[in-house]
């Protein structure tokens, strides 16, 4: 500017001065205009940027008049309403209140809040997606824009966010909470990472009812759950979880917990795995099974422990011996069995009374337990007969023999010490038989018999001593293999036959029969299954034997159906789980049933209790296939396998068959009587039919009928006989005479 005035002075003339002044005025006027235009363009660009921002927001943005007419909408709101363009939507929406809200009152409630407060936050409503009329949920926020001078409402502007998924999830969670609050157990979900850390995602209210720990505590410290597991059960808890994780299989485990109030509970946990980033997510359920466990323990106590000495009884001993056999065979080492018979016990019992005899037996059991390690088993298998199973991992035959002799000497010394039985002082003694085994023996009973023979050798040598069993000779093994070869020939040439033992209902009407294999050997005479089955099992002859039994059984059943006198009869056949699970068995069976034209509903398969020790899911699958054919399924030897009491209701059985060992002493043994009564009640509660075998006298029959047994079988009615004899028996006595009233009274 200074230069400009200097120029004017230099020009000197009036005309020049005027021209210069005019130019100056023009510049003074033009410069602000340029600046204002630049500001206008900048503001216009900013407004366009803002409009673009609004149009691309993920939430719906709108303006509407107070009377419900839409003024503007961004892309998100246009899409939310099912339209393609803003123009299409604005042309279609006439009245928000009547066209948008499912509950038309919501629009008025929305307006009332705006009028009162000037704004609304998170107003949740159910609306129609305008074009498609689909019902969705939204959350809406808005403000009222008023005229600055008059305060009159001009329009509303706000945002809309769809929350349909959230509402559905909350509704599902509410429903889940209602359902799980009434469930007896608890649902859970947690993720176990590869480094061993856990994250708890969900716990239903039932979880806290079981263990007493609030969900927020377990979420903040997931290890609290494992810490509640009883210390003795933690190793198995961890092992089963690791095994299930490694195979991505279901985690099914029962264990004990010390819960928040200090009580101990049995818990059953069942969870399904799902691979997750960095670990495995487990979805599962767990429940309090303390009552069931107490019942099982009571039943186990009745079934497997001697009520006097609290030692394992014969049944438990046989199980422990079977396990010891398997362990020896697996490790390749030896175990030993000691058979102990008390000398002159009958004299003490008869002269001093049963109470003194019982006290003596109890004290003997205590002393025997004190002479062996915790891994060994002491059992009472008879009146004055005890057995001890010795286990010494890694031992050779010679080492095991020396160890067994040392323990036998310790036992004899303990039993020679004076017994204080009230006021009576008694000095006892015993005879001990010793046998060493390696797990290769076919049957537990054979080892027990060898020990029994050795005990009698000790008793014959003057009592109060011990004797070793003399091992079987090579001739016995050669004889066994000769029998095996003859059995193979018998199977190939159909030399075996079926015998039939009748089954009767509680009215003594014959309703069917069990088919039993017999081998009428030309030189050895009649050979029973006890001699056949070990060879069949060990040498893989099961398929051949099963084929024979099925073919002969179906042929017999078809003949019975053709005779009006026998058409009602059922036929029970023993079958193994391995057989029914073999490839193609069910298809072949269906074809045979069709070829013989028999009614499959008249056929019963008796499965032994090893079905409950195997994979229940696989067993149930094959059993359901058989039931689809119409075949009935029976659990044979019920009661001899403890696991069946736990898994019976998981498998599709129609009936159970009480093992004859329980029936044989039912009329004179309170324990067996109570146990049979319990089994019958349990079967009745599960809707199962009950068959009792080995009924040998009318007193046994009377008890079984009184307890509600459905069907009976045994020598009281008829031994297993060939088909011709069975049919003659059937014709002569389709209904046996009822038992006399005085026989049932006992």
């Amino acid at each position: 500017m200074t230069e400009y005035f200097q120029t004017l002075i230099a020009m000197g003339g009036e005309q020049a001065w005027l021209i210069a002044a005019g130019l100056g005025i023009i510049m003074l006027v033009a410069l602000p205009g340029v600046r204002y235009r630049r500001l206008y363009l900048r503001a216009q660009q900013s407004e366009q940027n803002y409009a673009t921002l609004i149009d691309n927001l993920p939430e719906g943005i709108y303006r509407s008049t107070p009377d419900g007419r839409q003024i503007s909408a961004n892309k998100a709101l246009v899409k939310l309403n099912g339209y393609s363009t803003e123009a299409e939507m604005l042309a279609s929406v006439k009245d928000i209140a009547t066209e948008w809200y499912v509950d038309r009152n919501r629009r008025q409630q929305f307006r009332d809040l705006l009028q009162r407060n000037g704004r609304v936050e998170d107003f949740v409503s159910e609306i129609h997606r305008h074009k498609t009329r689909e019902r969705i949920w939204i959350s809406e926020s808005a403000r009222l824009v008023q005229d600055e001078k008059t305060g009159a409402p001009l329009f509303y502007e706000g945002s809309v966010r769809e929350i349909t998924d959230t509402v559905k999830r909350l509704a599902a969670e509410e429903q889940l909470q209602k359902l799980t609050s009434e469930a007896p157990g608890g649902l859970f979900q947690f993720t176990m990472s590869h480094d061993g850390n856990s994250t708890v995602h969900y716990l239903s209210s039932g979880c806290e009812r079981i263990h007493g720990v609030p969900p927020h505590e377990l979420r903040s410290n997931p290890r609290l759950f494992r810490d509640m597991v009883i210390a003795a059960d933690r190793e198995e808890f961890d092992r089963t979880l690791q095994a299930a994780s490694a195979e991505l299989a279901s985690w099914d485990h029962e264990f004990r917990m010390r819960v928040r109030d200090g009580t101990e509970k049995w818990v059953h946990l069942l969870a399904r795995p799902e691979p997750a980033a960095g670990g495995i997510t487990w979805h599962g359920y767990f429940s309090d099974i303390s009552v069931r466990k107490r019942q099982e323990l009571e039943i186990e106590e009745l079934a497997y422990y001697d009520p006097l000495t609290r030692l394992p009884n014969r049944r438990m001993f046989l199980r422990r011996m079977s396990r010891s056999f398997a362990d020896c065979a697996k490790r390749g080492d030896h175990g030993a069995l000691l058979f102990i018979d008390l000398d002159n016990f009958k004299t003490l019992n008869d002269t001093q009374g049963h109470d003194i005899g019982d006290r003596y037996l109890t004290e003997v059991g205590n002393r025997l337990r004190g002479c062996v390690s915790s891994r060994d088993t002491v059992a009472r298998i008879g009146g004055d007969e005890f057995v001890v199973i010795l286990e010494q991992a890694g031992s050779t035959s010679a080492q095991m023999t020396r160890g067994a002799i040392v323990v036998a000497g310790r036992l004899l010394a303990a039993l020679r010490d004076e017994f204080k039985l009230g006021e009576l002082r008694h000095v006892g003694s015993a005879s001990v038989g010793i046998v060493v085994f390696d797990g290769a023996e076919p049957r537990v009973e054979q080892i027990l018999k060898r020990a029994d023979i050795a005990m009698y050798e000790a008793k014959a040598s003057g009592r109060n001593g011990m004797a070793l069993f003399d091992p079987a000779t090579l001739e016995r093994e050669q004889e066994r293999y000769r029998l095996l070869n003859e059995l193979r020939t018998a199977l190939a040439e159909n030399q075996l036959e079926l015998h039939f033992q009748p089954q009767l209902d509680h009215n003594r009407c014959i309703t069917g029969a069990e088919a039993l294999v017999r081998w009428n050997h030309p030189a050895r005479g009649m050979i029973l299954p006890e001699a056949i089955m070990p060879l069949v099992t060990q040498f893989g002859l099961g398929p051949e034997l099963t084929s024979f039994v099925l073919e002969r059984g179906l042929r017999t059943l078809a003949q019975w159906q053709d005779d009006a006198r026998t058409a009602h009869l059922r036929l029970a056949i023993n079958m193994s789980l391995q057989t029914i699970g073999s490839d193609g068995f069910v298809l072949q069976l269906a074809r045979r049933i069709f070829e013989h034209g028999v009614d499959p509903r008249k056929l019963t398969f008796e499965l032994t209790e090893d079905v409950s020790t195997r994979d229940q899911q696989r067993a149930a699958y094959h059993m359901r296939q058989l039931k689809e054919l119409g075949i009935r399924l029976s659990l044979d030897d019920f009661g001899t396998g403890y696991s069946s009491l736990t898994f019976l209701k998981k498998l599709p059985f129609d009936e159970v068959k009480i093992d004859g060992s329980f029936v044989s002493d039912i009329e004179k043994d309170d324990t067996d009587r109570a146990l049979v009564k319990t089994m019958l009640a349990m079967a009745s509660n599960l809707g199962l039919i009950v068959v009792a075998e080995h009924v040998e006298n009318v007193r046994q029959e009377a008890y079984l009928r009184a307890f509600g047994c459905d069907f009976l079988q045994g020598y009281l009615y008829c031994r297993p006989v060939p088909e011709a004899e069975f049919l003659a028996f059937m014709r002569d006595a389709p209904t046996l005479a009822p038992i006399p009233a005085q026989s049932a009274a006992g």
Side-chain angles (χ1 to χ4, degrees), residues 306 308-309 311-314 361 378-386:
D306 173 41
L308 176 63
T309 63
L311 293 173
N313 62 12
R314 186 184 186 91
L361 292 173
V378 178
R380 181 188 177 209
I381 63 171
D384 61 346
E385 295 176 338
F386 296 80

Side-chain angles (χ1 to χ4, degrees), residues 21-75:
L23 290 172
I25 292 171
I26 291 172
M27 291 178 65
L28 289 173
V29 173
L31 285 174
V34 172
R35 184 168 62 86
Y36 286 135
R37 176 172 176 77
R38 187 181 299 115
L39 291 174
Y40 168 75
L41 292 174
R42 188 179 302 164
Q44 189 178 41
Q45 182 64 40
S46 177
E47 185 175 348
Q48 289 177 350
N49 291 341
Y50 180 73
T52 301
L53 174 64
I54 294 297
D55 210 31
N56 288 283
L57 286 174
E59 291 189 357
I61 306 297
Y62 70 89
R63 279 185 181 178
S64 63
T65 63
D67 61 0
R69 183 172 55 84
Q70 203 84 34
I71 300 174
S72 66
N74 71 344
K75 290 181 179 178

Side-chain angles (χ1 to χ4, degrees), residues 219-417:
R219 289 193 187 98
S220 61
N221 184 10
R223 291 194 64 83
L224 278 176
F225 187 87
R226 183 184 178 278
D227 292 343
M228 286 188 286
V229 178
I230 296 296
D233 292 358
R234 286 179 191 164
E235 182 178 352
E236 185 66 9
F237 178 88
D238 293 338
R239 187 194 67 78
T240 56
L241 174 57
Q242 291 168 4
S245 300
E247 299 177 7
L248 277 181
S250 293
W251 182 23
D252 190 345
H253 187 47
E254 294 180 358
F255 54 95
R256 293 168 295 169
M257 298 183 73
R258 182 76 62 190
V259 300
R260 176 59 62 87
D261 64 5
T263 60
E264 181 180 305
K265 292 183 178 180
W266 272 96
V267 173
H268 176 225
L269 181 150
L270 178 62
R272 177 179 58 82
E274 179 184 358
I280 297 174
T281 297
W282 292 94
H283 314 268
Y285 171 84
F286 76 102
S287 57
D288 183 351
I289 58 170
S290 302
V291 173
R292 175 170 68 80
K293 277 294 183 180
R294 283 196 298 270
Q295 293 173 345
E296 288 178 355
L297 291 174
E298 290 172 1
I299 293 174
E300 182 183 24
E301 191 77 11
L302 285 171
Y304 295 111
Y305 288 87
D306 173 41
L308 176 63
T309 63
R310 316 309 298 171
L311 293 173
N313 62 12
R314 186 184 186 91
R315 296 189 189 103
M316 177 60 82
F317 157 72
L318 293 175
R319 290 185 62 195
R320 297 273 181 89
M321 273 295 290
S322 296
R323 186 184 66 189
S324 184
F325 269 25
D327 290 345
C328 287
K330 183 178 180 180
R331 296 190 305 255
D333 55 18
H334 295 75
L337 177 65
L338 278 57
F339 194 115
I340 304 157
D341 184 85
L342 302 179
D343 295 334
N344 303 314
F345 171 74
K346 186 176 185 304
T347 301
L348 173 69
N349 201 47
D350 291 345
T351 59
Q352 302 300 320
H354 295 294
D355 56 334
I356 294 297
D358 289 347
R359 292 180 67 175
Y360 176 54
L361 292 173
T362 301
E363 183 59 29
V364 167
N366 293 335
R367 293 192 185 186
L368 294 179
R369 274 187 297 213
C371 293
V372 299
S373 69
S374 58
R375 67 175 177 271
D376 300 325
T377 297
V378 178
R380 181 188 177 209
I381 63 171
D384 61 346
E385 295 176 338
F386 296 80
V387 289
V388 176
I389 305 172
L390 299 178
E391 308 216 22
Q392 184 177 337
S395 62
T396 64
S397 177
Q399 290 171 334
M400 194 71 249
T401 301
R402 288 194 295 270
I405 292 173
V406 170
V407 173
R410 193 184 305 146
L411 297 176
L412 290 172
L415 297 179
R416 281 194 294 265
D417 286 345

Side-chain angles (χ1 to χ4, degrees), residues 67-70 92-108 111 126-130 133:
D67 61 0
R69 183 172 55 84
Q70 203 84 34
S92 301
V93 178
K94 306 301 182 184
D95 180 34
I96 296 174
T98 59
E99 299 172 5
W100 207 35
Y101 291 94
V102 173
D103 179 0
R104 298 184 180 183
N105 294 326
R106 293 297 283 171
R107 175 64 175 175
Q108 187 57 48
R111 293 182 63 185
E126 187 179 17
I127 69 167
H128 294 288
R129 200 182 301 279
H130 195 274
R133 311 310 294 163

Side-chain angles (χ1 to χ4, degrees), residues 53-275:
L53 174 64
I54 294 297
D55 210 31
N56 288 283
L57 286 174
E59 291 189 357
I61 306 297
Y62 70 89
R63 279 185 181 178
S64 63
T65 63
D67 61 0
R69 183 172 55 84
Q70 203 84 34
I71 300 174
S72 66
N74 71 344
K75 290 181 179 178
L77 188 60
V78 170
K79 182 179 180 182
L80 182 144
N81 280 283
Y83 292 101
S84 301
T85 65
E86 180 186 28
E88 182 187 7
M89 175 180 162
L90 296 180
S92 301
V93 178
K94 306 301 182 184
D95 180 34
I96 296 174
T98 59
E99 299 172 5
W100 207 35
Y101 291 94
V102 173
D103 179 0
R104 298 184 180 183
N105 294 326
R106 293 297 283 171
R107 175 64 175 175
Q108 187 57 48
Q109 295 167 9
F110 182 77
R111 293 182 63 185
D112 291 345
L113 289 172
L114 274 174
Q115 291 290 343
R116 185 173 68 248
N117 304 325
R119 64 176 51 250
V120 175
E121 299 287 344
D122 296 325
F123 189 78
V124 176
S125 303
E126 187 179 17
I127 69 167
H128 294 288
R129 200 182 301 279
H130 195 274
K131 184 174 184 179
T132 64
R133 311 310 294 163
E134 175 190 358
R135 291 167 68 154
I136 61 174
W137 286 87
I138 63 162
S139 175
E140 186 176 6
S141 299
R143 74 184 184 96
L144 174 62
V145 179
Q146 298 171 305
D147 188 281
E148 294 182 356
K149 294 181 179 181
T150 65
L154 298 177
F155 55 83
Y156 306 142
E157 61 181 10
S159 63
V160 177
R161 175 168 51 91
E162 182 178 353
I163 59 170
T164 304
D165 290 342
T166 301
V167 171
K168 288 181 178 179
R169 177 178 57 79
L170 292 174
E173 289 180 357
E174 181 182 3
Q175 184 67 19
L176 178 63
Q177 183 64 27
K178 290 178 181 178
L179 292 172
T180 58
S181 64
E182 301 299 325
L187 298 174
F188 62 86
Q189 183 188 64
F190 73 93
T191 297
M192 174 74 75
S193 62
H194 295 316
D195 60 8
N197 293 320
S198 298
T199 302
V200 178
H201 306 296
Y202 176 77
L203 293 168
S204 70
S205 58
C207 299
E208 184 176 356
R209 286 200 301 269
I210 294 175
H211 52 55
V213 180
H216 69 271
E217 287 191 36
L218 279 173
R219 289 193 187 98
S220 61
N221 184 10
R223 291 194 64 83
L224 278 176
F225 187 87
R226 183 184 178 278
D227 292 343
M228 286 188 286
V229 178
I230 296 296
D233 292 358
R234 286 179 191 164
E235 182 178 352
E236 185 66 9
F237 178 88
D238 293 338
R239 187 194 67 78
T240 56
L241 174 57
Q242 291 168 4
S245 300
E247 299 177 7
L248 277 181
S250 293
W251 182 23
D252 190 345
H253 187 47
E254 294 180 358
F255 54 95
R256 293 168 295 169
M257 298 183 73
R258 182 76 62 190
V259 300
R260 176 59 62 87
D261 64 5
T263 60
E264 181 180 305
K265 292 183 178 180
W266 272 96
V267 173
H268 176 225
L269 181 150
L270 178 62
R272 177 179 58 82
E274 179 184 358

